[in-house]
Amino acid sequence: MMLTKINLRDQVRDYLLAEMITGNLRTGKTINLAALSRDLNISVTPIREALTQLQQAHIIKAVPNRGFIIAELDVKEAEDLYGLVANLEVMAIENSEFTEEDIAKLIKQQEVFENAKDAITRIRADLEFHRLLTRGYENDLALQILNDLKTRIFFYEKAFTDDDSFYNKSDNQHESIISAIADDNVPTASLLLKMNWMLILNYIQKKLTE
C-alpha cells in the first residue's frame, strides 16, 4: 500500500484500524514498526505518531521490550467505556436543539441500521446513528472524546454483538429515542439513550464472562 505525504499520521492510523477491523491485526499481536515502515514505504515517525494516537484511544498499548500490541478486551474497560459514552451522549442531547431535518436524518439512518446485512455494517450504522444524535452539541472537545471512545467500542461490538436478536432490541430503542426527540421530550430521550448503551454493555459483560 502506497501512501501520499499528506496527513501521513492520519493515513497510517486509518490503515491500522482497517487492518484490525478486517482481522489482519488481532488483539495481543505485536505491531512491528520496521515492517510497517517497509510495507508502507514511509519513515517510522508518522507510524509512531499514529500508534501514539491509537494508544491514547486505548486501542493499543505499549509493552516493555515488546513495543506496541493491540489491547485485549476486558470487562472493567467495557464498563468504563460504555458508562462514559452513555453519560457524554446524554449530556450532548440535553444541550442540543433538534430540527425537523435532524430528525429526518435520524430516521433515515435508522433505516440503514435496520437493513444492514452483516455485523460490521450494523455496527457502523449504529455508531453513525449515535453520531447524528449528538452532532448538534456545540462542544468540540466532548465530541472528539466521544469519537475516540467509540473507536475503541467498535472492537468490543465487533467481537461480541453479532446476534440478530440483540440488534432487534436496539432497533426498538432507536425508534423510541427518535419519537421522544420529535415530541421534544428530552428527559425520556435521555433515559432511552442511556438504556440503549447499557443494553449493549450488559450483553458484552455476559459474553466476556462466559
Side-chain angles (χ1 to χ4, degrees), residues 20 22 42 64 75 87 90-91 93 131 150 167 198 201:
M20 294 174 198
T22 56
I42 59 175
V75 172
N87 288 328
V90 165
M91 183 171 64
I93 68 168
R131 188 194 69 80
K150 288 175 186 174
Y167 274 104
M198 292 306 100
L201 173 59

Side-chain angles (χ1 to χ4, degrees), residues 8-202:
L8 276 179
R9 178 200 61 197
D10 293 341
Q11 290 184 68
V12 173
R13 181 179 184 272
D14 291 345
Y15 169 76
L16 290 170
L17 285 172
E19 290 290 281
M20 294 174 198
I21 290 165
T22 56
N24 292 332
L25 289 173
R26 300 180 182 276
T27 55
K29 182 178 176 61
T30 302
I31 297 173
N32 188 311
L33 268 71
L36 268 176
S37 178
R38 289 193 301 273
D39 292 344
L40 302 179
N41 195 29
I42 59 175
S43 73
V44 296
T45 299
I47 297 173
R48 286 188 185 277
E49 292 172 350
L51 292 173
T52 299
Q53 277 194 335
L54 293 172
Q55 184 182 14
Q56 290 170 347
H58 298 279
I59 295 165
I60 63 173
K61 62 180 180 179
V63 177
N65 303 318
R66 285 190 63 188
F68 290 99
I69 68 168
I70 301 171
E72 300 281 357
L73 308 179
D74 68 77
V75 172
K76 178 62 169 65
E77 186 192 41
E79 292 168 350
D80 290 345
L81 277 170
Y82 282 87
L84 185 53
V85 166
N87 288 328
L88 283 172
E89 284 203 350
V90 165
M91 183 171 64
I93 68 168
E94 288 177 346
N95 291 276
S96 298
E97 298 290 335
F98 291 92
T99 65
E100 289 186 7
E101 181 183 359
D102 293 329
I103 293 167
K105 286 181 178 178
L106 286 169
I107 292 170
K108 184 175 181 180
Q109 184 59 30
Q110 175 59 13
E111 292 173 356
V112 173
F113 177 72
E114 290 174 353
N115 294 321
K117 302 300 184 185
D118 58 76
I120 297 296
T121 306
R122 267 199 304 263
I123 296 166
R124 286 177 168 157
D126 182 39
L127 292 176
E128 176 61 11
F129 176 86
H130 284 270
R131 188 194 69 80
L132 291 173
L133 195 61
T134 57
R135 69 174 184 156
Y137 186 33
E138 294 182 353
N139 185 322
D140 292 341
L141 178 58
L143 294 179
Q144 183 58 55
I145 292 169
L146 270 172
N147 184 64
D148 289 344
L149 293 171
K150 288 175 186 174
T151 301
R152 179 58 172 164
I153 271 177
F154 181 93
F155 292 91
Y156 280 87
E157 302 202 3
K158 176 178 179 285
F160 299 115
T161 57
D162 56 356
D163 183 345
D164 285 339
S165 64
F166 164 78
Y167 274 104
N168 290 337
K169 295 177 184 176
S170 195
D171 278 348
N172 295 335
Q173 288 180 330
H174 283 186
E175 291 167 357
S176 297
I177 291 167
I178 295 170
S179 295
I181 288 171
D183 292 339
D184 199 24
N185 189 343
V186 175
T188 296
S190 297
L191 178 62
L192 289 165
L193 178 56
K194 192 156 191 175
M195 287 172 58
N196 184 234
W197 282 114
M198 292 306 100
L199 170 73
I200 303 170
L201 173 59
N202 291 338

